[in-house]
Amino acid sequence: MRGPALICALIAALLQSGGCQSTHSTDATVRAFDELVFGVSENAEGEVTAADPAIRLTRWQRPLRAHFAQPPPDPVAALGVAVLAELAAITGHDLAMAGPGSSANVALVYGDPALLVRTMRAMGARIEGYEASSAVYGFCWSTHWHAAGEIRRAVVYIADAGAMPDEKPGAIAACLRHEMGHVMGLRFHAERSYSVMAAQRSLRDYTATDRQVLRLLYDPALPANGTRDQVLNRLGDLPPDQEAAR
């Protein structure tokens, strides 16, 4: 087996479809999408995590409007605006900071664990000890609420860079882009993909892989609330992003 037949067989095996799918999307893109959206990845020993049939494609459908629970330092506020604009450009979805007097569905909390607790409670959510202790010890954190594949609201905690372990330049940018990736629907951490979604948050910018996966996640051709098999079978028919191919 060689050439196109081999490529087709590899993609068919990856998609677990039992048939030959289109080779439009690259192997690397499909693997990254599967890892970040459905939590299926391969470890260093070649073992593949089992797919959870309960996991569905989850993304925003209504406009995303964010606000800081209290005003952060100007550079952090500017970064928040920039990251929302960046995600809007990547996904084509409507994201922006909430205007004066308008309601928000994403709360951004900067550097104040007590404010995180109050914000969560104001949203009618119970905050667990893990989330509170993560904030106290300087870790970034986020959560979102969804139903029928639609993300409806979220909270992001952005640790003060001075409180972060192993503080380094760009720590807040890495934190915010990572957590907003989760908020947008990248529910899982990257184990093998070169991505800002790695658990250790060593990257401060979205990579070409991140951009391709986010673009595909918000492609209307993918079925809303779709199962893994439904989404990956359709994914093979979508054209690759040129940036990710470089």
Side-chain angles (χ1 to χ4, degrees):
M1 186 182 297
R2 65 180 64 185
L6 176 59
I7 295 174
C8 189
L10 289 172
I11 293 181
L14 176 65
L15 300 182
Q16 299 178 354
S17 64
C20 182
Q21 303 297 322
S22 167
T23 60
H24 287 184
S25 290
T26 67
D27 281 359
T29 299
V30 173
R31 285 195 297 269
F33 191 98
D34 206 11
E35 180 175 48
L36 299 178
V37 175
F38 293 107
V40 177
S41 63
E42 180 180 324
N43 63 23
E45 288 72 41
E47 300 168 333
V48 179
T49 55
D52 182 347
I55 300 297
R56 300 294 187 99
L57 184 142
T58 304
R59 63 192 176 197
W60 288 85
Q61 296 178 30
R62 63 194 71 190
L64 184 157
R65 292 293 179 265
H67 79 118
F68 281 97
Q70 67 181 19
D74 288 346
V76 177
L79 178 63
V81 172
V83 170
L84 290 179
E86 185 178 9
L87 286 168
I90 294 170
T91 64
H93 192 66
D94 183 359
L95 295 88
M97 284 292 180
S102 61
S103 61
N105 44 26
V106 176
L108 306 174
V109 181
Y110 175 74
D112 186 340
L115 179 60
L116 172 63
V117 173
R118 294 197 301 272
T119 300
M120 293 283 286
R121 288 175 177 167
M123 297 181 76
R126 184 179 66 181
I127 186 165
E128 304 290 346
Y130 167 76
E131 288 88 354
S133 62
S134 294
V136 168
Y137 290 108
F139 295 97
C140 298
W141 175 83
S142 64
T143 191
H144 66 254
W145 292 267
H146 59 89
E150 180 187 6
I151 303 173
R152 298 182 176 179
R153 56 189 180 132
V155 174
V156 175
Y157 181 75
I158 309 159
D160 186 325
M164 291 184 185
D166 303 319
E167 179 188 353
K168 55 185 177 296
I172 293 178
C175 164
L176 185 55
R177 286 190 173 91
H178 176 101
E179 299 305 338
M180 284 303 300
H182 286 315
V183 168
M184 293 300 292
L186 304 183
R187 298 172 66 179
F188 297 91
H189 287 143
E191 301 292 338
R192 300 298 298 272
S193 303
Y194 183 65
S195 169
V196 77
M197 300 309 297
Q200 66 270 26
R201 295 192 301 270
S202 58
L203 300 175
R204 70 178 71 176
D205 296 310
Y206 293 117
T207 66
T209 296
D210 294 322
R211 292 170 180 273
Q212 170 72 336
V213 170
L214 283 164
R215 184 186 69 81
L216 291 174
L217 177 60
Y218 281 82
D219 193 309
L222 294 185
N225 201 33
T227 66
R228 176 174 178 262
D229 286 344
Q230 289 171 336
V231 171
L232 294 187
N233 285 334
R234 186 68 186 91
L235 189 64
D237 296 329
L238 301 179
D241 183 85
Q242 295 303 310
E243 182 179 9
R246 286 204 297 265

